Amino acid sequence: MRRSAASTAAALLAAAAFAVTEEIDLAGEWSLDCDGRELSAAVPGGVHDALLAAGVIGDIYFGSNETNALWVSRRDWTFRRAFKVDERFLSHRTVVLRLEDCDTFATMRINGREAGRTANRFRRYEFDVRGLLREGVNTIEGEFRSPVNEADSRRRTYDRPYPISTTGWAKNQALIRKPACHGGWDWGPEVETMGFCGTVKLIASNGPRVEYIHTAQKFSDDLSHCTLDVLADFSDGSVATNRIEIENPPLWWPNGADPKNPNARPRLYEYTVDFNGEKFKRRIGLRKLEVLNERTVGADGKEELSLVFKVNNRRIFMKGANWIPCDAIEGRQAPARYRDLLESAAAANMNMVRVWGGGQYEKDVFYDICDELGIMVWQDMMFSCAVYPGDGAFLGDVAREVEHQILRLKDHASIALWCGDNECLGAVKWYSSKRYPASFYRETWIARSKMQGELVAKYDPARTYWPSSPCCGPGDFGDGWKNDSKGDMHNWDVWHENAPFEKYYKYHPRFCSEFGFQSFPSMEIAETFASKDEILSRGPGFEWHQKNRGGNKRIRKTLERYFPEPKDVPAELLLSQFQQAMAIQTAVDAWRSEQPRCMGTLFWQLNDNWPVASWSSIEYGGKWKPLHYLAKRFFEPVNVVVKPDASGADLVFGVNDTSEEVKGELIVERCFYAGDQLSDRVIREAKTDVVLAPNAATKLTTLATPKTSFCGGTFVVLTLKTDHGVFTTDRHFQSFRHSFVQLGKPTVKAAINGFTVTLTTDRPALWVWMNAKGIRGEFDDNAVTLVPGQPRTFTFKPKDAVTPEAFKAAFSVTHLSELCKDAAK
């Protein structure tokens, strides 16, 4: 069958032997047995959702209430409901109960008789229940056993521990197949979800059922032709196929990478599979994907290994962040939350997110939205920061899990890579001892990783399997935290060692898939989990929302290095967010300037799963931190960055991610801080025509270092004007802590017209921050530098219906000088 690219592909597969199915969806209202009291429980959803709705437990997110709800996951719970089945449904030869995302240890009963048991959140289960049903009203129940008790029970069957980096009280989480972070992590609470978190339905048929539908794409070298094979896998193990030839296929591109229209949404096409009148609709993006691991020899004579994502014959620099589950409460993981977060990622010029291995294989809506937005997905398999068993029963269970997830997700254009785990290769060393040597744990890791790689090769051979993150390459057990010459790197020196941000310059990664720096939540978010008195006194209710040991001390210690003393606690919270943004920009600018050696930066992390001090660029609830605004700027496809060389000279680079050279003008302006007679003036220093090479970073100039007498009194604003837009960055020659004494107190004025704000200043104002308290929405830019004589206009885009008058009343603006003590008058 030959199709033009513009047509919708209808894959009409020969299916005389395959039966039409009929379904009964059991989503909706169930009841939850709570000590003899029947509570209403929504499915999909979990025990905690029902208990919260009924007022049995209080707000888990307020203060230290998390500890008051730990009992929930230490006991068993039963969900039940009634449903009707008619004679026609029962006339089918087979009826199965299908469960997906069932968390985790459920005994299923229909009409009081056992139908089957589940033991893995990440698997699909199907139980034959035809003989358990009756015409008319039926009952179904799921009895969920405590995951904490089950994990502890499993520990007693092993002759050694299998440690994991949970921060809560669940210490045997590695022995059960549910999200590791449910046991608590260094950014999240311990909320051990129990319940039906996905599909619960009955499927009736008179023959083999469709289990999975997916495609395989093969392109000509010049991308002018695509052979599309549509495949359907059936419950009896058979496969039906159809081939469609597509001429001149319009291609799916990552966000911002389409050479013809960088601002366009990726192109997706719907195809319909028709089996005897039963239609299955699917969407696909047509694209060619390669992951390149090219071996070279570095200047030091040692072997290096690249990690490059090549889409439609173009090498593309990956820009993005790590993704964790969007809420610790299962029922709050709503489609609107996914869309809000992922659209914020795309708006910040991100083209990749990494689904972290301590969370969950995400819901279908997540991958659908990534396909729509052109956000590629580095997909970890769900293993993190732990050593896992390697016995036959455990690996057999994992094999069924991985097989299902590959077949479920492989048809998404956004899936870029399958990764075996997060930091489990490192955990082999972390948790080894004389009694339990690393050699044993390494062997279990090898057995699991080998099996996962074989399953990817079998079910999704067109994609790359990457054994672990970080990883120096398949078969290499090198240190991915320190070795920057191979594969992907996790760089945590700056945060964990409380090192200066300049330490990022020491490393030159080929791809950095984790690095981060924490901030406090904003005052607005802090007030959702602690009283004002608790916040201002840094009381226990506030401190509880820091899950990384020593984290608050590190934040404050680093503030002493880079910023003046905050005038009060709300100022400290905001200054910590400026500091976080500065840290990540330091790393990203440095590594983007090394393109094409470095071809990806994914900072930790995009989002939070509750209100907390963390590494996220977006606060719980969706509010952008300063980091996210800076990410929008430092991930621009064309940009100007500054990085010192080994001698300390400041090198200016033009970064160009496009496939064409970019011509423009570089303007270097030296600005005087307040404090002398030139404080209200900007002295233009240089203007230069520049050409930026495609898919590379081009050195444009070297900044002249100011004389010592001016060092504390001046800073530089760099502006790159091109057909792609105008891009600016600042260069300060010493920390804000020291330059602050020169700054004085600028007067920043705001003129508001509807949702448009124009800001002016009489003196240079640094870290100018606008806020619309209580209104969901974002400005088109924020956390900026203002200089005299150069007004800046910004637009606020509300996410909900709000009047201009309400926006004006909620608006405020502040800046560095207003947030610190003892500013010059």
Side-chain angles (χ1 to χ4, degrees):
M1 186 183 299
R2 186 171 293 274
R3 299 279 181 185
S4 69
S7 68
T8 298
L12 306 174
L13 280 68
F18 307 119
V20 175
T21 61
E22 185 177 349
E23 298 182 355
I24 297 177
D25 189 348
L26 296 175
E29 185 177 359
W30 290 52
S31 66
L32 178 70
D33 185 354
C34 181
D35 297 327
R37 177 185 173 193
E38 294 294 313
L39 307 180
S40 176
V43 170
V47 171
H48 293 85
D49 296 287
L51 298 180
L52 284 164
V56 175
I57 56 176
D59 181 1
I60 298 173
Y61 295 173
F62 193 84
S64 58
N65 283 355
E66 170 193 354
T67 60
N68 298 331
L70 293 177
W71 63 272
V72 173
S73 59
R74 270 81 177 162
R75 56 163 286 180
D76 301 343
W77 297 89
T78 299
F79 291 79
R80 61 174 60 91
R81 67 162 289 175
F83 63 96
K84 291 183 179 180
V85 173
D86 60 24
E87 182 182 3
R88 183 175 55 80
F89 192 83
L90 287 176
S91 69
H92 292 84
R93 290 204 308 268
T94 64
V95 180
V96 298
L97 171 65
R98 176 178 288 180
L99 302 172
E100 295 185 57
D101 275 346
C102 184
D103 198 347
T104 294
F105 300 99
T107 300
M108 301 302 302
R109 298 184 181 91
I110 291 181
N111 296 323
R113 299 166 63 189
E114 185 171 324
R117 299 187 178 202
T118 70
N120 185 329
R121 159 78 183 250
F122 308 126
R123 280 178 57 178
R124 171 188 285 178
Y125 288 91
E126 291 185 346
F127 304 121
D128 184 355
V129 297
R130 174 66 183 80
L132 305 181
L133 295 169
R134 60 190 177 220
E135 186 177 351
V137 177
N138 293 255
T139 61
I140 182 172
E141 70 176 35
E143 180 185 354
F144 286 82
R145 303 192 307 281
S146 160
V148 178
N149 294 344
E150 180 69 22
D152 292 345
S153 175
R154 292 188 176 195
R155 169 65 185 91
R156 291 190 287 272
T157 69
Y158 287 102
D159 64 353
R160 68 189 65 229
Y162 288 90
I164 187 169
S165 296
T166 51
T167 58
W169 295 265
K171 298 305 181 185
N172 293 308
Q173 197 85 355
L175 303 181
I176 57 177
R177 297 305 299 141
K178 79 190 309 287
C181 65
H182 284 183
W185 217 259
D186 58 4
W187 36 256
E190 181 183 323
V191 181
E192 291 276 18
T193 296
M194 303 163 66
F196 299 111
C197 301
T199 298
V200 185
K201 64 183 177 182
L202 296 169
I203 307 173
S205 68
N206 286 318
R209 305 176 307 280
V210 175
E211 295 285 352
Y212 303 95
I213 297 173
H214 47 93
T215 62
Q217 304 174 22
K218 186 175 181 180
F219 286 85
S220 60
D221 290 344
D222 64 358
L223 306 177
S224 64
H225 182 89
C226 176
T227 299
L228 181 70
D229 289 325
V230 182
L231 304 95
D233 299 337
F234 289 85
S235 57
D236 65 353
S238 58
V239 179
T241 66
N242 193 23
R243 174 163 289 181
I244 302 171
E245 305 291 349
I246 303 175
E247 302 293 344
N248 300 313
L251 300 173
W252 183 96
W253 286 93
N255 183 32
D258 187 339
K260 295 180 180 178
N261 189 354
N263 297 319
R265 287 285 178 93
R267 298 178 181 181
L268 294 171
Y269 297 93
E270 183 179 276
Y271 69 93
T272 301
V273 178
D274 188 331
F275 294 100
N276 295 337
E278 184 176 17
K279 294 180 171 59
F280 300 83
K281 291 185 177 181
R282 299 290 188 270
R283 288 190 312 173
I284 55 170
L286 302 176
R287 90 291 181 261
K288 180 181 179 182
L289 170 67
E290 302 167 83
V291 177
L292 306 181
N293 299 137
E294 298 165 323
R295 297 188 183 276
T296 57
V297 177
D300 59 0
K302 296 181 180 179
E303 182 182 74
E304 298 198 357
L305 182 74
S306 69
L307 178 58
V308 180
F309 290 84
K310 188 176 181 181
V311 183
N312 301 330
N313 295 339
R314 274 197 62 203
R315 296 171 182 242
I316 297 179
F317 192 99
M318 293 293 107
K319 302 173 288 190
N322 286 258
W323 171 277
I324 65 172
C326 64
D327 208 293
I329 304 297
E330 187 71 31
R332 298 175 184 173
Q333 296 178 13
R337 294 281 296 281
Y338 283 101
R339 183 164 293 280
D340 184 40
L341 288 167
L342 291 170
E343 286 188 344
S344 288
N349 295 301
M350 296 184 186
N351 57 19
M352 177 175 272
V353 293
R354 173 175 171 246
V355 176
W356 169 73
Q360 62 200 34
Y361 300 97
E362 276 299 347
K363 304 181 191 307
D364 290 340
V365 65
F366 170 88
Y367 302 98
D368 290 342
I369 296 171
C370 287
D371 288 346
E372 294 174 15
L373 299 178
I375 298 176
M376 302 186 75
V377 177
W378 171 308
Q379 180 65 55
D380 279 5
M381 296 176 184
M382 292 300 114
F383 304 87
S384 182
C385 298
V387 288
Y388 290 87
D391 58 278
F394 186 87
L395 292 183
D397 189 33
V398 168
R400 296 289 298 276
E401 161 194 326
V402 172
E403 174 185 345
H404 165 60
Q405 295 298 339
I406 293 173
L407 291 171
R408 178 174 81 94
L409 299 176
K410 62 176 290 187
D411 221 30
H412 287 279
S414 55
I415 297 289
L417 172 144
W418 297 105
C419 179
D421 60 56
N422 171 74
E423 297 187 351
C424 291
L425 188 53
V428 167
K429 297 178 182 178
W430 304 342
Y431 298 124
S432 63
S433 64
K434 289 184 178 179
R435 185 177 180 185
Y436 305 113
S439 58
F440 175 85
Y441 289 139
R442 178 175 290 177
E443 289 305 312
T444 63
W445 180 88
I446 290 173
R448 174 175 57 80
S449 183
K450 180 175 182 291
M451 179 192 70
Q452 292 170 182
E454 290 171 349
L455 290 169
V456 171
K458 178 179 180 180
Y459 293 110
D460 196 9
R463 283 192 178 89
T464 293
Y465 172 72
W466 193 247
S468 184
S469 182
C471 180
C472 294
D476 191 323
F477 298 102
D479 187 345
W481 284 264
K482 300 296 182 183
N483 188 343
D484 59 2
S485 64
K486 294 182 179 180
D488 73 311
M489 182 184 194
H490 290 188
N491 190 315
W492 284 105
D493 286 10
V494 168
W495 171 252
H496 286 301
E497 297 176 7
N498 197 28
F501 300 160
E502 292 77 14
K503 190 168 184 180
Y504 285 126
Y505 300 141
K506 175 183 176 182
Y507 294 102
H508 310 278
R510 307 305 302 263
F511 194 112
C512 197
S513 52
E514 271 195 31
F515 60 102
F517 200 89
Q518 274 200 2
S519 77
F520 293 120
S522 65
M523 188 67 181
E524 190 172 343
I525 298 301
E527 288 174 339
T528 67
F529 66 79
S531 67
K532 191 167 185 178
D533 287 345
E534 281 276 289
I535 299 167
L536 297 180
S537 65
R538 299 169 180 165
F542 176 77
E543 294 291 313
W544 187 263
H545 287 246
Q546 168 58 271
K547 292 295 187 176
N548 186 248
R549 183 175 297 178
N552 288 353
K553 183 178 180 180
R554 286 193 201 97
I555 293 172
R556 293 176 179 128
K557 189 71 174 177
T558 308
L559 275 173
E560 292 176 5
R561 180 183 295 139
Y562 290 110
F563 285 89
E565 184 179 358
K567 69 177 182 181
D568 52 27
V569 171
E572 179 186 64
L573 304 187
L574 183 53
L575 286 174
S576 79
Q577 296 192 345
F578 295 161
Q579 173 175 266
Q580 176 197 35
M582 189 171 76
I584 302 307
Q585 182 177 20
T586 299
V588 172
D589 282 358
W591 297 335
R592 286 196 76 194
S593 76
E594 297 183 8
Q595 185 179 346
R597 173 189 168 78
C598 178
M599 287 300 290
T601 58
L602 308 178
F603 64 75
W604 186 272
Q605 67 212 57
L606 180 71
N607 57 305
D608 286 325
N609 73 342
W610 76 320
V612 65
S614 85
W615 299 269
S616 71
S617 64
I618 302 175
E619 295 199 86
Y620 181 74
K623 180 182 175 65
W624 289 18
K625 293 182 183 178
L627 169 56
H628 207 74
Y629 283 103
L630 264 67
K632 182 181 179 182
R633 301 202 292 267
F634 62 59
F635 280 151
E636 286 278 9
V638 176
N639 200 12
V640 57
V641 303
V642 180
K643 185 188 78 169
D645 64 11
S647 70
D650 286 324
L651 308 183
V652 179
F653 292 87
V655 178
N656 178 13
D657 291 340
T658 76
S659 58
E660 306 290 337
E661 72 175 21
V662 172
K663 296 180 179 179
E665 180 182 60
L666 177 68
I667 302 170
V668 180
E669 298 172 304
R670 188 173 299 280
C671 300
F672 287 83
Y673 294 118
D676 60 18
Q677 69 273 20
L678 297 177
S679 61
D680 61 345
R681 296 179 59 191
V682 176
I683 307 301
R684 177 157 293 169
E685 196 168 65
K687 183 187 294 186
T688 309
D689 291 333
V690 295
V691 178
L692 279 58
N695 299 308
T698 303
K699 181 184 173 184
L700 303 180
T701 189
T702 301
L703 291 181
T705 304
K707 295 180 180 180
T708 303
S709 59
F710 286 110
C711 187
T714 67
F715 65 100
V716 166
V717 176
L718 297 155
T719 303
L720 179 64
K721 293 185 176 180
T722 74
D723 290 339
H724 293 263
V726 178
F727 313 96
T728 64
T729 192
D730 302 350
R731 177 56 174 159
H732 297 265
F733 298 99
Q734 55 184 3
S735 74
F736 297 116
R737 183 175 186 84
H738 294 97
S739 59
F740 176 69
V741 296
Q742 303 283 340
L743 193 56
K745 279 196 171 179
T747 300
V748 175
K749 295 182 179 180
I752 302 175
N753 182 12
F755 294 103
T756 298
V757 179
T758 299
L759 298 182
T760 58
T761 184
D762 60 343
R763 299 180 178 188
L766 309 182
W767 293 105
V768 177
W769 179 252
M770 295 173 288
N771 190 37
K773 187 174 182 179
I775 298 178
R776 292 189 340 114
E778 310 302 340
F779 295 90
D780 55 358
D781 202 1
N782 210 341
V784 298
T785 295
L786 290 180
V787 294
Q790 297 181 11
R792 293 281 304 274
T793 298
F794 306 87
T795 301
F796 182 80
K797 184 178 181 180
K799 295 177 179 177
D800 305 309
V802 63
T803 65
E805 292 76 18
F807 167 71
K808 186 173 184 178
F811 177 84
S812 63
V813 61
T814 190
H815 49 83
L816 180 64
S817 295
E818 287 189 345
L819 297 170
C820 304
K821 287 184 177 180
D822 301 323
K825 303 298 182 183

